[in-house]
Amino acid sequence: MSDLTKTIKLRIHVSPEQEILFCQMTEQYRQACNFVSQYIFDNQFNLSYQNLNKELYNDLRGQFGLKSQLAQSSIKTATARYKTVKEQLLQNPFKYKDENGNWKSITKTLEWLWKPVCFNRPQADLVRNRDYSFVDDGQILSINTLGKRTKCTFEGEHFAEYFDGSWNLGTAKLVKLKGLWYLHIPVTKAVEDFQKENVRHVVGIDRGLRFLTVSYDEQGKTEFVSGKKIATKRHRFQEVRRQLQSKGTKSAKRRLKAISGRENRWMSDVNHQISKTLVEKYGKDTLFVLEDLTGVSFEERNLSRTAKQNYDLRSWSFYQFEQFLTYKAHENRSEVLKVSAKYTSQRCPKCGTIHKENRNHHKHLYRCQCGYKSNDDRIGAMNIQLLGTMWISGDNHPRYERITNTLE
């Protein structure tokens, strides 16, 4: 058994008095997090909770009026954000060309930051049974504030399954969005582990622009999810954004922020639908195989260099799809495997020959000298699927290496 974690978002109904209490608490908590962040920045990025708590606890209680648990949580919130930034920097090294024209890279650390991490949105992290709890048979939320505790109702009809006792509730985040209050609660549940020896399906998935996903399974079945309508809608968002940016007014900036949120929510829904369809189609004991895009520069991928494609490529949420597919697969006793992306779009799945020239980007056709030809995106999914099969067979790090074409 292993733990599966998801986040539920409860909309809270608040009175005018509770609105004031929540606004005060989340604003003070935001300032406290920035206070901790500045201290971390000024002290060689020391992320030790014990040291930070010893140095800052009394200031957090006195200057910001936080209760004991909130003061400790503000330290944890700030350090968690720095750890996230640290990982992001590690995955995106600084690249440059040396005097010989060869590409070099330098690993980035927190010392590359020019200013402290900033918390802009008022928020508060609430510890389960200390800062928030469910009372009256789970129908009412009791939430701690800077002063007294307060009780409020919430919209939870869609989340009833998470309150049946089989899920553990973690530290929640209280936030306000467009005038409405929400409590984001991570929930954890023990689920059956994926067993390699019980695999029934191995599905290779190639992600791209023309087709959002191309999946290929062990039976040779291929499914394409077109990205044409998605690209059209994203280009409309881009055009509206360009027009608003050219205005530069305060109202235009507010509109830009609203459009960004709407686009992100819409794209998240698309990712949810695609990942859900894949998991439901193949059922339990399925291995989904994706290219590992960690550290891959989009400019290095074999795609045309038009402005639209570069925009689409950077804005397409590859990683979000990966996250959605992973937790849905884990919930269904399945697994997601990430494999090396090297040569997956250049290798002939029939004879194993690797030639970059075999792929025609304009015609979206892969044609090998051995006579095999197919859609170029399908070729990628086929090669990815084979790497998954190799992993099942015992190769813990499957990858392709260039071999000599025997026909030459």
Side-chain angles (χ1 to χ4, degrees), residues 113-165:
L113 296 179
W114 290 9
K115 59 182 180 180
V117 169
C118 184
F119 293 81
N120 296 314
R121 175 184 292 185
Q123 62 175 40
D125 286 347
L126 309 179
V127 175
R128 168 79 161 140
N129 291 331
R130 291 288 299 273
D131 297 316
Y132 83 96
S133 59
F134 292 90
V135 297
D136 297 342
D137 296 325
Q139 302 302 308
I140 301 294
L141 260 174
S142 174
I143 300 178
N144 212 355
T145 68
L146 297 182
K148 61 182 181 180
R149 293 185 75 92
T150 185
K151 295 180 179 181
C152 52
T153 58
F154 59 94
E155 295 182 8
E157 60 271 16
H158 301 299
F159 305 105
E161 63 177 291
Y162 300 109
F163 303 120
D164 62 2

Side-chain angles (χ1 to χ4, degrees), residues 160-371:
E161 63 177 291
Y162 300 109
F163 303 120
D164 62 2
S166 63
W167 294 82
N168 294 319
L169 279 60
T171 298
K173 188 177 295 293
L174 180 66
V175 297
K176 185 178 183 181
L177 178 63
K178 294 185 176 180
L180 302 176
W181 287 93
Y182 295 88
L183 193 64
H184 296 179
I185 309 175
V187 293
T188 304
K189 180 180 182 179
V191 295
E192 295 180 272
D193 285 331
F194 168 81
Q195 299 294 332
K196 184 187 293 188
E197 58 271 18
N198 296 332
V199 168
R200 296 187 301 115
H201 303 289
V202 179
V203 184
I205 302 173
D206 182 71
R207 293 167 283 179
L209 303 178
R210 194 168 67 101
F211 295 107
L212 300 183
T213 60
V214 179
S215 58
Y216 179 87
D217 62 26
E218 76 288 344
Q219 298 179 359
K221 295 181 180 179
T222 308
E223 185 169 340
F224 297 83
V225 177
S226 175
K228 186 175 181 180
K229 291 182 179 180
I230 302 297
T232 299
K233 188 166 184 176
R234 301 210 76 169
H235 293 154
R236 286 202 296 267
F237 273 116
Q238 183 187 23
E239 180 59 26
V240 173
R241 191 159 36 240
R242 185 190 64 78
Q243 294 175 2
L244 291 172
Q245 287 173 341
S246 65
K247 292 183 179 180
T249 62
K250 289 185 177 180
S251 60
K253 292 179 180 178
R254 288 195 298 268
R255 183 64 177 162
L256 272 170
K257 186 176 181 180
I259 288 176
S260 177
R262 186 186 309 158
E263 183 179 12
N264 289 338
R265 290 190 295 274
W266 162 73
M267 199 65 236
S268 293
D269 185 59
V270 170
N271 280 330
H272 270 301
Q273 292 181 37
I274 298 174
S275 56
K276 180 180 179 181
T277 299
L278 284 165
V279 171
E280 290 183 346
K281 176 182 178 180
Y282 289 101
K284 295 181 181 296
D285 302 316
T286 297
L287 178 67
F288 296 99
V289 191
L290 303 173
E291 291 175 303
D292 186 355
L293 301 180
T294 302
V296 174
S297 172
F298 289 147
E299 287 79 9
E300 293 174 355
R301 306 206 69 192
N302 296 321
L303 292 169
S304 300
R305 294 296 186 262
T306 65
K308 277 188 176 182
Q309 281 181 318
N310 281 333
Y311 166 78
D312 283 338
L313 191 55
R314 291 186 177 92
S315 58
W316 164 246
S317 47
F318 287 116
Y319 298 103
Q320 186 188 64
F321 168 78
E322 178 183 310
Q323 293 170 348
F324 289 172
L325 181 63
T326 298
Y327 87 72
K328 292 178 192 297
H330 288 174
E331 198 170 13
N332 205 38
R333 204 172 69 199
S334 295
E335 186 58 273
V336 172
L337 172 69
K338 294 195 293 183
V339 296
S340 172
K342 195 173 183 180
Y343 301 129
T344 54
S345 63
Q346 302 175 19
R347 177 185 178 274
C348 175
K350 293 301 180 182
C351 71
T353 298
I354 297 175
H355 268 308
K356 184 177 181 180
E357 295 75 15
N358 287 348
R359 185 181 185 188
N360 188 317
H361 294 286
H362 299 291
K363 295 182 179 180
H364 301 291
L365 177 67
Y366 184 94
R367 186 192 300 272
C368 181
Q369 293 178 348
C370 74

